[in-house]
């Protein structure tokens, strides 16, 4: 395997972006920051890959328009996935592994506030027997939350602790949307919204964009003195039918984690858009109690669709660059109710797990 | 919201499309049975009965062929209260989404349960199907579930699963509503049009002038900040003659759609060429905008009704060849 590292990361997140669904106006300054961090120009990027979906804001082929932010004349090598950009990063990483390229920039963007996100997301469900009911994403994840609660796998206090810790940590994150010092009692004092979920148990609808640069071998050192080396990168998927799986566990996360290798991880950025899902993910990954989880505040405090998973990889990388973590784990989820899960491990030292 | 108060212009937008989907052998039988107020489950290799029936066994991947009737009553396994229903859900007042394990099945079906408040919901409660008034051969033939009263025995399933299924396809209507925003640069362009001005932007790097402005130079990927006001006349670079009638056509055919390169711009934009015979339109032809009456101007490209020939001599090919 070739050694590949994350060398640059930039993000923008807000409750409502007053701009177009292509998010070009977010991507231009984001790419500018990538060039600043690496000292590179467009010519140094061998491959571009993005994650987005036109369903979010109703603009057709928005990923084609977004290419304007790159400046694609002369043409650039480019690809796109209709998944969180963490999967776009996986595609770029695989492309580097083939030896075809040495560097890649990966970005995600989305303006979820343009529509009714929880309704729009029902279009990813089985189109014959499920989608025609328009099950909103909050309700589906609520089914999972109640099942865990009533089976005694966690309790209200445990999810309130996740919320309180996330919002408190997010106070230091300039891009977090729902943040501020919060106690467990504050959380439990909130009224029920979608029983058994309170609003704070549900990630806020978020707009945003983010981008990451990865590079192989010595090229990585060219861009950054202390790159965050990717030591494991795996993803797994479960059936789309919710009644075909045990919703209170995440076997795909467990399998991806095992394959990526979680030994020695001291920090984890988990993509959990619902508070109870952090508990499911911790359990699936077998994270020890002393592992720092979501120091950024996590997706519970800002969850830009198609970007929040990539942000986890970016946030974990930042901790490695800063010397605050020796080995970090970043997780991303896609599809309904934790259907697909990706695990990327990053370390200050080269070498696979 | 007054448009002038916001940085960008926005307007409501609806996207609607119907998917016509054919059903395979399994779902055809399932939907046909629903239309007759009967629920079928699929029998998996391990003997478990799953509703709705999957087309393939999730473990052995073999095609599921055996369907058996299950009860239309069952037990709530888990549920969420829907405080604010969204459009097209089974109920337009607060209700619960639930996993219901029908008697005779081994995996739950997702559907709505109609009760007045979350206090009336509990895991383990018995519910039964409330059938739709008119069968459609879709999952919506189950209108929703409702609690089974103590006095009411669970209805037993009647069996009639032989014969060819009548329902072999469904139509799934999709409609989405958005608040659609223009970019800040596009917004300036449209606001300019409302004043009878055509605004473009110049790339600070390659000096090219883009109209409409795009926010970033697609060549250099840098923000285009400098605003340029352009004249409403230019040169036809290329064009096509529309001869094919289509729904919603407003202009009698044949007519001409052309790329017009405004004087001083580096990118042409698409508009109509009228007030001349379609056969007379040519590359290099000089044209000018014909505006609607001033009192009708809005933030809309249709303020310019069309372009018409100016009568000037044609532009030299050299002046526009790099813009083709």
């Amino acid at each position: 395997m070739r050694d590949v590292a994350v060398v640059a990361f930039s993000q923008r997140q807000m409750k409502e972006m007053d701009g177009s669904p292509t998010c070009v106006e977010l991507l231009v300054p984001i790419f500018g920051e990538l060039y600043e961090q690496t000292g590179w120009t467009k010519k140094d990027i061998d491959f571009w890959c993005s994650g987005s979906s036109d369903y979010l804001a109703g603009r057709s082929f928005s990923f084609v328009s977004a290419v304007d932010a790159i400046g694609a004349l002369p043409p650039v090598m480019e690809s796109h996935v209709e998944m969180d950009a963490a999967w776009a990063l996986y595609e770029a990483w695989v492309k580097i592994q083939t030896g075809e390229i040495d560097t890649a920039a990966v970005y995600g963007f989305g303006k979820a506030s343009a529509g009714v996100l929880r309704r729009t997301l029902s279009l990813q469900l089985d189109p014959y027997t499920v989608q025609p009911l328009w099950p909103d994403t909050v309700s589906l994840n609520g089914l999972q939350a109640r099942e865990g609660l009533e089976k005694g796998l966690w309790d209200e206090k445990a999810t309130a602790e996740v919320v309180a810790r996330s919002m408190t940590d997010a106070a230091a994150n300039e891009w977090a949307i729902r943040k501020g010092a919060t106690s467990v009692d504050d959380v439990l004092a909130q009224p029920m919204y979608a029983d058994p979920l309170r609003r704070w148990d549900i990630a806020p609808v978020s707009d945003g964009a983010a981008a990451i640069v990865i590079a192989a071998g010595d090229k990585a050192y060219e861009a950054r003195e202390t790159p965050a080396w990717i030591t494991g990168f795996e993803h797994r998927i479960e059936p789309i039918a919710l009644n075909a799986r045990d919703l209170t566990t995440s076997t795909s996360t467990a399998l991806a984690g095992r394959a990526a290798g979680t030994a020695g991880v001291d920090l984890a950025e988990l993509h959990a858009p619902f508070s109870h899902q952090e508990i499911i993910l911790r359990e699936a990954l077998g994270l020890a109690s002393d592992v720092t989880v979501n120091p950024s505040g996590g997706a519970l405090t800002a969850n830009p669709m198609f970007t929040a998973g990539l942000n986890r990889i970016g946030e974990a990388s930042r901790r490695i660059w800063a010397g605050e973590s020796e080995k970090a784990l970043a997780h991303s989820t896609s599809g309904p109710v934790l259907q697909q899960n990706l695990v990327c491990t990053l370390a200050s030292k080269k070498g696979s797990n | 919201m007054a448009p002038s108060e916001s940085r960008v212009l926005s307007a409501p937008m609806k996207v609607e499309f119907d998917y016509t989907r054919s059903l395979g052998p399994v779902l055809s039988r399932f939907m046909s049975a629903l239309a007759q107020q009967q629920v079928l489950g699929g029998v998996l290799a391990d003997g478990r009965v799953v509703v709705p029936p999957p087309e393939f066994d999730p473990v052995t991947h073999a095609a599921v062929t055996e369907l058996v009737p299950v009860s239309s009553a069952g037990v709530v396994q888990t549920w969420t209260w829907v405080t604010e229903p969204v459009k097209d859900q089974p109920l337009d007042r607060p209700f619960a989404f639930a996993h219901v394990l029908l008697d005779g099945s081994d995996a739950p079906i997702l559907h709505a349960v109609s009760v007045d408040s979350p206090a009336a919901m509990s895991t383990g409660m018995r519910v039964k199907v409330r059938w739709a008034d008119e069968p459609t051969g879709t999952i919506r033939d189950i209108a929703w579930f409702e609690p089974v009263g103590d006095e009411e025995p669970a209805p037993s399933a009647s069996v009639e699963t032989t014969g060819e299924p009548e329902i072999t396809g469904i139509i799934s209507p999709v409609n989405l509503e958005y608040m659609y925003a223009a970019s800040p640069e596009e917004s300036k362009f449209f606001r300019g049009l409302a004043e009878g001005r055509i605004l473009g932007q110049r790339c600070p790097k390659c000096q090219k002038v883009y109209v409409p402005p795009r926010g970033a130079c697609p060549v250099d990927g840098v923000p285009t900040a400098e605003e340029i006001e352009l004249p409403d006349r230019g040169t036809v670079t290329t064009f096509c003659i529309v001869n094919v009638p289509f729904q919603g056509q407003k202009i009698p055919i044949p007519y001409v759609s052309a790329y017009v390169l405004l004087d001083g711009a580096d990118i042409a934009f698409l508009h109509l060429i009228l007030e001349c015979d379609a056969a007379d339109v040519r590359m290099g032809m000089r044209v000018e905008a014909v505006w609607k009456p001033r009192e009708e101007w809005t933030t809309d490209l249709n303020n310019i009704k069309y372009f018409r020939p100016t009568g000037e001599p044609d532009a030299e090919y050299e002046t526009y060849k790099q813009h083709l």
Side-chain angles (χ1 to χ4, degrees):
Chain A
M1 298 290 267
R2 299 181 76 192
D3 290 315
V4 178
V6 177
V7 295
F9 169 52
S10 176
Q11 62 180 318
R12 296 280 188 286
Q13 294 161 63
M14 62 280 297
K15 203 171 165 193
E16 267 180 61
M17 182 194 56
D18 62 339
S20 76
T22 66
C23 299
V24 165
E25 57 263 45
L26 295 183
L27 290 170
V28 167
I30 282 174
F31 293 165
E33 282 180 22
L34 297 183
Y35 297 139
E36 203 174 299
Q37 288 177 34
T38 54
W40 289 349
T41 68
K42 188 172 71 182
K43 291 190 187 71
D44 295 292
I45 305 295
D46 296 337
F47 176 58
W48 296 80
C49 199
S50 63
S52 72
S53 172
D54 291 349
Y55 280 100
L56 276 195
R59 168 133 178 184
S60 52
F61 294 104
S62 55
F63 74 93
V64 176
S65 304
V67 167
D68 269 7
I70 301 172
L73 262 175
V76 296
M77 199 195 296
E78 184 265 352
S79 184
H80 175 260
V81 298
E82 191 149 341
M83 298 183 73
D84 191 287
W87 274 265
L89 187 72
Y90 183 84
E91 178 177 335
W93 177 78
V94 169
K95 208 170 180 69
I96 291 181
Q97 293 303 334
T98 66
E100 192 183 337
I101 56 165
D102 294 324
T103 62
V106 171
Y107 59 101
F109 63 93
K111 187 182 173 181
S113 69
V116 182
L117 178 64
R118 66 192 169 106
R119 181 175 185 269
T120 305
L121 286 177
S122 72
L123 292 173
Q124 67 184 325
L125 301 166
D126 173 274
Y128 301 96
T129 61
V130 184
Q131 193 282 323
L133 305 173
W134 294 88
D136 59 281
T137 191
V138 169
S139 296
L140 291 181
N141 288 280
L143 296 178
Q144 181 184 46
R146 184 179 306 282
E147 216 167 311
L149 279 169
E150 293 186 348
K151 280 183 180 168
L153 299 174
W154 59 81
D155 58 17
E156 233 182 21
K157 189 164 164 281
T159 52
E161 279 168 1
V162 170
V163 174
R165 197 206 63 237
S166 300
M167 287 175 63
T168 303
D169 286 347
N173 179 350
E174 66 170 309
W175 297 113
I177 290 167
R178 186 188 287 148
K179 58 184 170 182
T182 308
S183 72
V184 169
D185 288 343
D186 293 338
V187 179
L188 294 175
Q190 295 288 313
M192 282 291 172
Y193 168 62
D195 192 340
L197 302 173
R198 295 173 169 84
R199 284 189 190 272
W200 288 357
D201 290 312
I202 308 163
V205 173
S206 318
D207 294 344
I212 272 180
V213 176
I214 55 173
D218 290 343
K219 196 79 184 158
Y221 286 118
E222 210 183 276
R224 187 176 285 278
E225 272 180 46
T226 57
W229 296 99
I230 295 171
T231 56
F233 211 162
E234 298 282 346
H235 63 91
R236 298 290 186 273
I237 187 166
E238 295 177 54
I240 185 84
L242 296 186
N243 68 358
R245 49 190 170 109
D246 176 358
L247 294 182
T248 61
T249 63
S250 180
T251 44
S252 50
T253 302
L255 289 170
R258 210 172 301 153
T262 58
V265 164
D266 54 39
L267 181 149
E269 279 282 342
L270 306 177
H271 185 187
F274 294 83
S275 58
H276 66 275
Q277 291 176 341
E278 184 187 299
I279 297 169
I280 294 175
L281 294 169
R282 285 188 78 131
E283 176 71 25
L285 293 165
L287 296 182
S289 57
D290 60 350
V291 172
T292 306
V293 173
N294 289 349
S296 66
L300 207 50
T301 64
N303 185 38
M305 295 298 302
F306 300 91
T307 303
L310 187 76
N311 282 343
R312 307 280 68 77
I313 297 171
E315 291 286 356
S317 300
R318 279 181 34 189
R319 308 286 164 172
I320 302 267
W321 299 338
E324 293 163 20
S325 167
E326 280 181 21
K327 184 171 180 185
L329 180 150
H331 158 269
S332 176
T333 194
S334 195
V337 199
L338 298 179
Q339 186 200 2
Q340 314 172 44
N341 292 283
L342 173 150
V343 172
C344 178
T345 55
L346 301 136
S348 54
K349 292 190 178 65
K350 272 193 220 174
S352 62
N353 61 78
Chain B
M1 182 177 65
S4 58
E5 287 168 16
S6 170
R7 187 173 73 124
V8 298
L9 291 168
S10 59
M13 182 180 76
K14 282 186 183 181
V15 177
E16 294 185 333
F17 41 97
D18 290 354
Y19 283 112
T20 303
R21 302 184 188 277
S22 56
L23 301 170
V26 171
L27 289 173
S28 287
R29 287 164 67 193
F30 176 69
M31 299 299 184
S32 299
L34 283 183
Q36 297 174 51
Q37 303 197 342
Q38 185 174 79
V39 185
L40 298 181
V43 183
L44 304 189
D46 61 6
R48 294 187 323 125
V49 175
V50 174
V51 185
E55 294 178 286
F56 296 93
D57 190 294
V59 178
T60 67
H61 315 304
V64 170
T65 54
E66 188 185 356
L67 301 189
V68 294
V70 299
S71 173
S72 57
V75 174
V76 169
Q77 286 194 320
T78 181
W79 56 278
T80 312
W81 189 248
V82 185
T83 306
E84 297 169 334
V86 295
K87 196 163 166 273
D88 298 325
Q89 287 185 333
L91 289 137
D92 58 8
R93 55 181 186 272
F95 67 99
F97 264 118
H99 265 168
V100 177
L101 187 68
L102 296 173
D103 298 345
S105 74
D106 300 291
I109 181 172
L110 174 78
H111 218 296
V113 177
S114 174
V115 290
D116 292 334
S117 77
M121 283 299 299
S122 61
T123 299
M125 73 188 280
R126 287 196 61 78
V127 292
K128 62 169 185 177
V129 169
R130 162 71 179 267
W131 296 101
D133 294 337
E134 293 291 330
T136 56
T138 71
I139 193 68
R140 298 293 287 254
D141 284 349
I142 299 175
W144 54 76
F145 284 81
E146 54 196 16
V148 177
D150 288 340
E151 73 291 347
E152 217 173 335
S156 58
S158 60
V159 185
E160 184 48 69
T161 60
T162 53
E164 286 299 303
E166 288 170 8
I167 311 286
T168 56
I170 58 169
I171 293 174
S172 298
V174 170
N175 57 80
L176 298 165
E177 292 176 12
Y178 300 103
M179 184 52 80
Y180 194 87
S183 71
E185 296 75 19
E186 289 161 343
S187 299
K188 276 189 188 170
F189 173 72
F190 288 119
R191 284 177 173 138
L193 283 172
E195 300 166 359
R197 303 161 70 208
I198 303 174
L199 298 177
Q201 278 184 329
R202 189 193 304 279
C203 170
K205 223 165 171 176
C206 66
Q207 303 298 317
K208 283 204 165 75
V209 172
Y210 293 98
V211 62
R214 322 164 54 128
C217 171
V219 177
D220 298 300
V222 295
T224 46
E226 188 196 345
E227 202 167 276
I228 303 282
E229 185 165 349
L230 292 157
D232 63 353
R233 59 173 55 205
T235 302
V236 171
T237 59
T238 183
F239 65 96
C240 79
I241 300 176
V242 179
N243 283 304
V244 182
F246 56 88
Q247 201 183 358
Q249 202 166 43
K250 289 175 185 159
I251 306 158
I253 53 171
Y255 65 90
V256 176
S257 280
Y259 269 125
V260 175
L261 183 70
L262 297 178
D263 295 343
D266 288 286
I267 192 158
F269 74 87
L270 191 65
H271 220 299
L272 298 166
I273 309 294
L274 297 178
E275 285 192 31
C276 66
D277 197 297
D280 291 338
V281 176
R282 57 202 177 267
M283 290 171 74
M285 184 185 230
R286 296 284 297 161
V287 292
E288 64 185 1
V290 177
W291 295 75
K292 281 183 181 172
R294 178 178 284 268
E295 59 275 14
E296 290 175 28
W297 289 352
T298 60
T299 51
D300 192 330
L301 190 53
N302 289 315
N303 291 358
I304 297 175
K305 289 200 289 185
Y306 53 84
F307 282 78
R308 69 177 170 207
T310 62
E312 296 166 87
D314 284 1
E316 291 294 327
Y317 180 66
E318 294 299 315
T319 63
Y320 61 86
K321 71 171 185 186
Q322 69 272 39
H323 300 296
L324 290 172

